Each structure stands twice: as structure tokens, then as C-alpha cells.
Amino acid sequence: MRRVLHIGPCESNGGMKNVMLSLANHPPTGFEASLLSSHKTGSILTKWMAFRKATKKLSQIISKNSTKPDVIHIHTAADWSWRRKKHFVTKARQANIATIIHIHSGKFNTWLDPSGANSASAKRATKMKRFLSEQKVQTVVLSEEWKAILEPMIGDVEVISNPVNPNLIIDSSIERIEGKLLLLGRNDPVKGHDFAIEVAAMARKSNPIVTLSMSGIENANEDWISAMGWISEQEKIENLHNSNILLVPSKWEGQPLVILEAMACGLPIIANDSLAQLPDNIGKASLENKQQWVDNILETIKSNSANIDYSQQLDQYKIENVQQKWLQLYEQLIKEQS
């Protein structure tokens, strides 16, 4: 049995954690998978200690034939996430292990933009492209849109979409709460919590039944807002089943996994129209036009949308189809490494 080791924030809340767990729990045929956590939520010191612990653990794993993986699959976002992950790449390649850089963050295009006014971003792009080429690692992005954006900056990339948790399905026995808007995301300005509050407040002027439930934040000034803070996977599933509309006003996403999860549960969606790889049959609105969001919200509530069948759009994201793509890439890299 061949082995793949996933390295990344598998113990920190967020979409990357969910992807890592899905891939580790459903490895390709002929592989067994394990996880190495490289991040811990908290202070800079807490994050640094988690990184040092992971670095030490990786050294131990690759030093023994009995634990040495055939593939090291590294999950990264931009900025400091990538700066830390470079150290794992170097260690893996020094041990002659096939290595994958799996880019999750939609911020990479602005962080690396070589054509921008910020010369530092141009230098970052040049340095990253050189590093990936010299280390002979395979970079993977989440969509053809991101391939077109990032390949000119960092060199050859492959496209493999995130899988949808196979446990997420439509549950018609759960009644959706009319007017309940849902936002799922960490407490970060990029996720659009304040924007969601604004458009929900505007919608309430026409339809007072509108409420808003949001993960990531723990306090709210209005009784119609439910600030849920961190929620468990089960709580997330319950909200995906009983809400009326999912709002995704994120400024950017590598691939909005929450949209795929909502689709699997049949939940109507309204998303920022500038996000990459949005399905055709979901609601879209511009962050520059709050009234467009309000109109979409009110129309969706009025149409009494229940469960929507997105099955055709979700086919490529089924775990078995994603597994097959990873199998082909793993085998290719192992062959090239031998």
C-alpha cells in the first residue's frame, strides 16, 4: 500500500481543513493517507510553535522507510501560509519524495500579481516560480479560471476541484425557515459579514420576516441576527438544511467550498458575481450593488424556493471523480520520481 501525507491546517477551522479531511478519509485506490497539522489558531507565537512542531514531526516521518510517504501533498494559502509551507517542500524534496503544492487561496493572484504597481508582488511571483521549478514540485489549483490566472505567474499547474463531502445530501424531512439567510465563514473582512448585515437590514424594510445567521462572529447588535461563532460540522449541516438562502458576499475565494456544500443540500444561493467558477443556476449579484442583493433575496423568498436539484452541476465534485484525478497525478509523480 502506497502512502500520501497531507500537510496543512487540518486542525484549524475553515474550508481547507474540510478538504484535507475529505481527501484523507477517501484516498485513491491503492493509497493510505495520513495528516500532519501545520497550523494552530491563536497568537503569532502559537502559530510558530505549531509550525516548528510540524517541521520536527515531518523530519521524523521521512527519516524511516516504515513511515516515509510516497507523496507529500501540501495544502497552502497565500502570504505567510506559503512562506511556512516552503520549508516542508524543501524537506520533502531533499528526501526525494514526490511533492504537490495544492493552492487553496484566491488571494494568490493579488499577492503575486507581477503586473501590479507593487514591485514586491512581482518579486514574490518570480521567486515562487523559480522555487517551484528548482524543487520540481507539481502545483495544483482548483479551477480552470485559476489556472489561467496563476500559470503565467508561477509556471505549470494542474486543475483538480475540491470534493463535496459525500455525507451532504438533500434532506426533505427538514423544513426550511422562511426568510432565514445564512453566511458561513471565518471572522475575516474578506468573508463579507458586514455586507451581509447591510443587505439583510435593507431586505427587512420590505419583508420583516428576514433573519440572518452567521458563523465566525460571536456578537450581534440586532435580535434578528444570530451570531453563531464557531459551529461544529453537524451544526453547519443543520443550518444548510433549514435555511432559506445562503449568502456568499466573499471578496475572493479559491473555490467557494461552502457553495458546493449548499448545493449538495439543495439550498438556494446568492453569491458575489466576481467569484471564479460559479455555477450557472445560482443567484449572482455585484458587491457594488447592494440593491441587487436585496432584490435577489426578496425574490427568492417570494418564490418559496425549497430544495433545488443541483445534481448535474455537482457531478465533477463527487469524491469518486476527484479521487480518480488525484490517483492519476500521484502515480505520475511517483513514476517520475523513481
Side-chain angles (χ1 to χ4, degrees):
M1 184 74 73
R2 290 168 294 181
R3 294 186 290 267
V4 56
L5 174 65
H6 292 273
I7 301 178
C10 56
E11 295 179 357
S12 300
N13 297 325
M16 207 184 307
K17 168 189 174 180
N18 293 335
V19 173
M20 290 184 67
L21 293 177
S22 290
L23 294 178
N25 291 331
H26 302 89
T29 302
F31 280 84
E32 59 183 14
S34 56
L35 294 161
L36 177 59
S37 175
S38 63
H39 179 270
K40 190 171 184 178
T41 302
S43 65
I44 293 176
L45 178 60
T46 298
K47 294 175 182 177
W48 174 251
M49 294 299 292
F51 164 71
R52 295 298 301 166
K53 181 179 179 181
T55 302
K56 182 178 180 180
K57 182 65 175 178
L58 179 61
S59 296
Q60 295 172 345
I61 291 172
I62 64 179
S63 67
K64 302 175 184 179
N65 288 333
S66 60
T67 56
K68 185 177 180 180
D70 298 277
V71 178
I72 290 184
H73 186 149
I74 301 171
H75 302 256
T76 188
D79 204 357
W80 283 104
S81 176
W82 164 244
R83 298 175 197 270
R84 292 190 297 268
K85 303 301 169 43
K86 284 177 63 178
H87 295 277
F88 300 123
V89 173
T90 301
K91 280 184 171 293
R93 296 305 294 136
Q94 287 175 342
N96 295 316
I97 299 172
T99 305
I100 290 169
I101 292 296
H102 190 167
I103 293 178
H104 291 256
S105 173
K107 289 177 64 177
F108 255 100
N109 63 321
T110 54
W111 188 63
L112 294 176
D113 185 8
S115 62
N118 185 352
S119 60
S121 63
K123 291 179 180 178
R124 285 195 289 265
T126 300
K127 288 175 66 175
M128 185 173 180
K129 185 174 184 177
R130 183 187 306 120
F131 177 81
L132 294 172
S133 175
E134 291 175 350
Q135 294 294 334
K136 298 180 180 179
V137 303
Q138 179 61 63
T139 307
V140 173
V141 295
L142 303 175
S143 68
E144 291 292 341
E145 288 87 348
W146 284 115
K147 176 182 174 73
I149 293 170
L150 292 178
E151 198 164 58
M153 300 181 190
I154 61 176
D156 175 64
V157 303
E158 292 287 335
V159 176
I160 301 180
S161 299
N162 283 332
V164 177
N165 184 338
N167 295 321
L168 293 177
I169 58 173
I170 292 176
D171 188 344
S172 299
S173 68
I174 300 176
E175 185 175 349
R176 298 200 178 278
I177 301 172
E178 184 180 0
K180 178 181 175 180
L181 310 181
L182 176 66
L183 186 152
L184 295 174
R186 65 183 183 277
N187 186 11
D188 188 311
V190 73
K191 295 298 183 181
H193 290 75
D194 289 343
F195 184 93
I197 292 172
E198 286 188 58
V199 297
M202 291 171 63
R204 280 178 56 82
K205 293 177 181 178
S206 297
N207 188 345
I209 199 172
V210 170
T211 61
L212 176 62
S213 295
M214 299 186 291
S215 67
I217 63 170
E218 297 182 353
N219 297 292
N221 296 324
E222 303 288 347
D223 59 7
W224 53 269
I225 299 175
S226 174
M228 301 184 291
W230 179 86
I231 60 175
S232 67
E233 187 69 13
Q234 184 56 41
E235 289 172 320
K236 179 181 73 175
I237 293 172
E238 290 173 0
N239 276 277
L240 288 171
H241 280 134
N242 67 28
S243 296
N244 197 167
I245 306 170
L246 175 75
L247 300 182
V248 188
S250 300
K251 293 180 181 178
W252 54 68
E253 295 277 356
Q255 182 188 41
L257 185 61
V258 67
I259 289 181
L260 301 180
E261 294 174 332
M263 291 171 68
C265 296
L267 176 61
I269 302 159
I270 303 173
N272 173 10
D273 62 6
S274 68
L275 295 178
Q277 206 176 3
L278 291 177
D280 292 334
N281 59 340
I282 70 168
K284 304 175 183 69
S286 170
L287 294 182
E288 305 300 320
N289 189 343
K290 292 186 177 71
Q291 188 59 48
Q292 190 178 21
W293 285 79
V294 173
D295 292 343
N296 272 332
I297 289 169
L298 295 175
E299 180 58 33
T300 302
I301 295 173
K302 184 179 179 181
S303 65
N304 194 28
S305 297
N307 293 318
I308 300 175
D309 183 4
Y310 297 105
S311 56
Q312 289 186 331
Q313 289 78 17
L314 285 173
D315 188 64
Q316 65 176 307
Y317 306 111
K318 289 181 179 178
I319 188 65
E320 57 267 28
N321 293 331
V322 176
Q323 274 179 334
Q324 189 59 32
K325 292 182 178 180
W326 283 116
L327 175 61
Q328 293 171 358
L329 184 56
Y330 289 168
E331 289 182 335
Q332 173 193 326
L333 296 178
I334 291 171
K335 183 178 180 180
E336 291 174 356
Q337 187 61 42
S338 59

